[in-house]
Every structure is written in structure tokens, then in C-alpha cells.
Amino acid sequence: MLLVAESDREVCNVVEQAAAGLLPVECVHDAEAACKKAAANPQPQIALIDIRFRGGGLTLANEIFVLSPDTHILLFGANPTVEELEQAVNSQVAGFMRLPFGSESIRARISHLLQSPPRSRGLGGMISNLHTEVRTRSEMLVRARRAGLMALARLAEYRDTETGMHVERVAAFSEQLSLLLERQSVYADQITKPFLQSIRLAAAVHDIGKVAIPDSILHKPARLTPEEFELVKTHTIKGWEVIEAGRKADRGTDYEMTLAAQVIRSHHEKFDGSGYPDGLKGEAIPLAARIVAVIDAYDAMRSTRVYNPERARDDTAGEIRRCMGSHFDPKIADVFLRHIDVFEMMGRNIDRVTARWK
Ligand SMILES: [Fe+2]
Ligand SMILES: [Fe+2]
């Protein structure tokens, strides 16, 4: 049905003539009647409204938008002012037609609108396209941010070890240990899908704060002085500050960045409260940081470092067992030790493990 809101009977006659054979026409002479028709079933496919209808054609158009979102609305009027035209352009109407109009031109507009999708679907399509566009852009931003953080993590690690593979191993092992914990029902309520999707990056960036530590200290082949050790300890806070600056930009809503911030700040905390930088104790230490703490220590012991030769598998396992409850969360260390051979195997095949990520 085509609804015409117009007090001039002559205009209604022209529209009736133009719409003949296309759709029935209903002419109304006041806003209340127009709204009743718009809310009735079936709702009008098209509404033609005089922009000066009873002093407010645009107000009526807005009411019809609400009552009947699928209705295409055309405004019309004689000698419209610039202000009226601007209002029409800025509203959601399908167009404006100048009076007087011939029946041919109005018939062409009616035919065109009848072939167009319902107004809300047209708008819905635009909105859903926008959602897709926003999602694509967001995913691109996430990928770019991950690549940037991984580059920073590797940069920090290249200065510390020869190959930088510590970053890759800590990431892969932490993800694996999280999966094992979840399967063994240890902290399973906290190891959610987002946790499992985020732990790898969070673990990879655990030491990015080391970019701020001078080479002379990082590469010192002798024992560090207490002052030097205090400086090394600041890598937790310095790295955390980098991530926090990014987190503030997205108002702290990004889970992956939240987990990364926790790991960076707290991976040197100890279960008995004797770690740094905050001296957190037990389960007050974020879970992701407690997982990375076990993995970081394991990988450091199993690798050759300037300050330490590589330790054997059994020696390393013994050391982790000895530190259960003091350095490490005993429940996490227990699951790790029961599956240590999985990590040994992954370590020997780290190239193949990380190839899956690309
Ligand atoms: Fe560290
Ligand atoms: Fe590390």
C-alpha cells in the first residue's frame, strides 16, 4: 500500500493515477490517521509525505520510521527552502520530489522503490557490512600488535641468549602446560578458552622489559652486584609499563593484553612471597605468571647461558621438585613434572612446534 499524507486532494489524485496497477493508494489528511495506517497490517511499502504537512512533515516521517521501519519514505513540496532540503537530505528519507509532479515521474519513483529492498533491510545490510569491516580491521590490528610484541620479545631475547629461541619455547611450553592443567582439572575454572588463546603471546613477552637493561649487566659473565641485580629486577616493571600504556589506549578491555601485563609484571614472584617486584604470595600471584615461572626456570636450566651451563633433565626436575611450594606453585609444578618428557620432546622439535603458528 502507498500512503499519501497530503491535505491537497489534487495531489492525491495524481498519485492515485500514477500508482494504478502498481499498488493501492490511501490518502490521509492528518498525522494521527497517517500513524494509524503506518502501524496497521499490512504496513505501507511507500509513504509520500508533504514536507509542510500539518506543520511537520519531517516529524511525521520520523514517527513512521519508528512505527514501520520497512517503509520507504518520499518527501515532497512546492518551492522548498534550502533549510527544508537540508533537513530532508539529513533525514533517512529515500528522496525529495518538487511539486508539481507529473504522474510519469512519480510512477517511475514508485516502481524503483518497489524493487528496492525494504528500508530496514537496506540499512541492516549497511550496518552488517560495517560490522564486518570493523571486525576485519580489529583482527588486522590484533595481528599487527602481536607481530610487534613478538618482535620486541625476540629483540629482548637476542640480547640475552644466542638464538632467541627461549621466547618460542617459553610460549609453546606455557601453552602446553595450561592445556595439561585444564585436562587434569587443576585451576580448570580459570583456564578458559580466552586464557588458552592468549597464554602463548603473554608468555612470549615475559621478558620484554629486558630491552631497558644495559648489555654490560645482561652479558656479565660474573655474579651481579646487589645494585646490578636491583637494576635487572626492574625489567618486570619496565616491560609492564610498556604494555600498560597500550592497555590504557583500549581502556584495559583486551584480555590478551591483560594476561600479558600480568605475566610480565609477576613472572618473578615466588609462591612463598619472597619474589619480586610486589612480593605476592600463593594464589595472589596471577595464574598465568605462576605457569610461566615454572616454564621459564625449566627452560633456563635446560639451556646454556652466560652465567650457567646447561643442566641435565633429572637435575632440572630435581631442582623444580625442591622448589615446589617455595618458588613454584606446587600444583602446577606437579603437573609439569609428571609430563616433563612432553616438554623435553617439544624442546628438541621446537622448530616444528612453532612452524604450526605461522
Ligand atoms: Fe624475567
Ligand atoms: Fe625468560
Side-chain angles (χ1 to χ4, degrees):
M1 181 259 281
L2 192 161
L3 178 68
V4 184
E6 169 61 22
S7 36
D8 184 347
R9 184 66 230 173
E10 194 52 39
V11 173
C12 289
N13 290 341
V14 175
V15 176
E16 269 170 4
Q17 210 184 328
L22 292 176
L23 74 176
V25 175
E26 296 260 7
C27 273
V28 289
H29 307 295
D30 62 76
E32 200 185 322
C35 288
K36 267 189 193 154
K37 294 277 180 197
N41 203 4
Q43 294 185 305
Q45 287 150 282
I46 302 170
L48 271 167
I49 303 172
D50 181 349
I51 197 162
R52 292 175 196 157
F53 183 69
R54 304 287 180 207
L58 265 171
T59 308
L60 177 61
N62 286 328
E63 281 168 346
I64 293 179
F65 280 144
V66 175
L67 292 168
S68 179
D70 281 345
T71 302
H72 295 290
I73 297 179
L74 274 173
L75 292 170
F76 63 87
N79 304 316
T81 63
V82 173
E83 201 190 358
E84 281 173 333
L85 288 175
E86 272 178 2
Q87 282 174 344
V89 167
N90 293 331
S91 70
Q92 301 174 69
V93 299
F96 184 90
M97 296 191 76
R98 277 173 196 271
L99 279 176
F101 42 59
S103 64
E104 280 307 306
S105 61
I106 191 76
R107 189 176 174 85
R109 290 300 286 267
I110 293 167
S111 299
H112 174 74
L113 287 175
L114 285 175
Q115 284 159 24
S116 309
R119 200 184 65 89
S120 64
R121 207 158 358 114
L123 211 61
M126 271 168 59
I127 290 168
S128 112
N129 284 347
L130 274 174
H131 280 315
T132 309
E133 179 72 5
V134 168
R135 210 182 310 124
T136 310
R137 295 281 169 107
S138 306
E139 283 166 4
M140 280 166 65
L141 281 174
V142 167
R143 277 202 297 275
R145 188 186 58 200
R146 279 184 186 151
L149 284 174
M150 280 303 286
L152 200 57
R154 290 194 183 104
L155 194 67
E157 203 52 45
Y158 277 130
R159 295 176 57 229
D160 199 14
T161 66
E162 278 163 31
T163 62
M165 286 308 279
H166 173 66
V167 163
E168 316 288 347
R169 286 192 301 265
V170 170
F173 296 173
S174 297
E175 184 183 51
Q176 182 64 40
L177 182 52
S178 304
L179 274 167
L180 289 168
L181 290 166
E182 197 246 352
R183 280 185 212 146
Q184 309 270 316
S185 303
V186 178
Y187 301 122
D189 57 325
Q190 293 175 60
I191 304 178
T192 57
K193 203 172 167 200
F195 186 100
L196 289 170
Q197 286 168 339
S198 307
I199 186 67
R200 200 168 72 201
L201 182 83
V205 298
H206 69 284
D207 267 342
I208 56 168
K210 278 191 181 165
V211 289
I213 310 298
D215 276 355
S216 56
I217 296 178
L218 272 186
H219 294 156
K220 190 175 173 184
R223 209 177 168 80
L224 297 177
T225 65
E227 296 74 37
E228 287 168 336
F229 187 54
E230 284 306 311
L231 197 67
V232 168
K233 281 158 90 173
T234 64
H235 78 278
T236 50
I237 299 290
K238 283 181 171 148
W240 176 81
E241 281 169 355
V242 169
I243 297 290
E244 275 303 292
R247 259 164 51 77
K248 273 192 192 122
D250 69 17
R251 297 189 185 89
T253 53
D254 188 299
Y255 186 80
E256 192 172 59
M257 289 299 98
T258 304
L259 213 64
Q262 290 175 351
V263 170
I264 294 169
R265 187 174 181 115
S266 303
H267 70 280
H268 287 289
E269 298 289 358
K270 292 186 177 174
F271 204 70
D272 63 4
S274 65
Y276 63 86
D278 302 306
L280 298 178
K281 199 172 177 180
E283 292 181 19
I285 305 165
L287 175 63
R290 275 153 36 220
I291 292 171
V292 173
V294 174
I295 295 298
D296 194 25
Y298 162 75
D299 193 63
M301 284 189 270
R302 294 291 282 131
S303 318
T304 305
R305 300 272 177 110
V306 263
Y307 44 84
N308 253 331
E310 178 185 335
R311 290 169 81 155
R313 172 197 176 280
D314 292 349
D315 187 17
T316 303
E319 182 62 15
I320 291 175
R321 185 165 289 110
R322 191 181 69 77
C323 298
M324 281 166 77
S326 55
H327 187 166
F328 307 120
D329 180 327
K331 287 197 259 180
I332 296 174
D334 176 59
V335 171
F336 173 80
L337 288 171
R338 281 194 278 122
H339 297 86
I340 190 166
D341 287 326
V342 171
F343 299 95
E344 289 285 311
M345 187 270 295
M346 284 175 79
R348 286 192 296 272
N349 297 286
I350 194 65
D351 287 342
R352 255 183 280 162
V353 171
T354 54
R356 279 190 282 123
W357 300 350
K358 281 146 197 157

